[in-house]
Amino acid sequence: AAAHDIKGPLMHNGGSTDREEVAVAAPAVAGAAADLADEAPSLLSGLSALKQGLRGRVAEANRLEDNSQRLYAAHLAEEESWPEGWAKNATLHSQAESWKALREQQHENYHSDLEKAHVGLHRVEEAEDAAQAASAGSQLTAHQLKAILAVTPD
């Protein structure tokens, strides 16, 4: 079986590791860990900036949602001023339906934006924890390494 199967670069189909590959990979992993420990301060700085940007996206989503709610409330107030029986008027009915559809779409966008930002914040916080552990000289777990890789470009 090839050394680079789906199970990973050091795993064969049977799940055993090849000693030669491990001997070659061990210094590379140790070197990468040392490099990560050296780069941790700049990585933490970048993660902090990324976290601030994501928090800004949450704030912007909240601001847009507030504006959307205010605008829809104004539209509903305008509807109240329409003459009795306005629902039979195709133009006014169409206007009311478009306001309602717009509000629903904006609300869906709000939830989508919040979810994306919060997922991003969670990833950044996991990567920060891993970078702090690396900076302290701790051996990183596979989960911690994945957390750092999830927020760094290729």
Side-chain angles (χ1 to χ4, degrees):
H4 296 283
D5 280 341
I6 295 173
K7 295 182 181 181
L10 298 178
M11 300 298 287
H12 288 283
N13 283 337
S16 62
T17 58
D18 185 11
R19 289 181 189 194
E20 289 178 20
E21 289 176 2
V22 171
V24 170
V29 170
D35 289 345
L36 185 56
D38 292 342
E39 296 295 324
S42 63
L43 180 60
L44 285 167
S45 174
L47 290 172
S48 178
L50 186 57
K51 189 191 306 187
Q52 286 305 108
L54 289 166
R55 285 181 178 159
R57 287 175 52 187
V58 169
E60 178 67 9
N62 287 328
R63 187 187 65 75
L64 290 172
E65 176 68 0
D66 289 345
N67 288 343
S68 174
Q69 288 173 344
R70 277 193 290 279
L71 182 61
Y72 189 61
H75 289 156
L76 291 177
E78 184 177 332
E79 265 183 39
E80 293 294 321
S81 70
W82 290 350
E84 191 176 320
W86 67 264
K88 294 179 183 174
N89 181 314
T91 303
L92 293 177
H93 183 72
S94 176
Q95 183 64 55
E97 288 299 314
S98 71
W99 286 338
K100 182 178 178 183
L102 176 63
R103 173 68 189 121
E104 288 171 357
Q105 182 61 50
Q106 289 171 334
H107 189 65
E108 287 176 25
N109 290 345
Y110 166 70
H111 282 287
S112 176
D113 291 347
L114 275 184
E115 182 180 4
K116 288 175 189 174
H118 283 108
V119 165
L121 282 168
H122 178 71
R123 286 183 180 157
V124 167
E125 288 167 356
E126 284 185 332
E128 277 183 328
D129 292 344
Q132 288 169 348
S135 181
S138 299
Q139 181 74 25
L140 297 183
T141 65
H143 180 77
Q144 289 172 317
L145 289 171
K146 287 179 184 178
I148 290 174
L149 291 174
V151 296
T152 55
D154 293 335

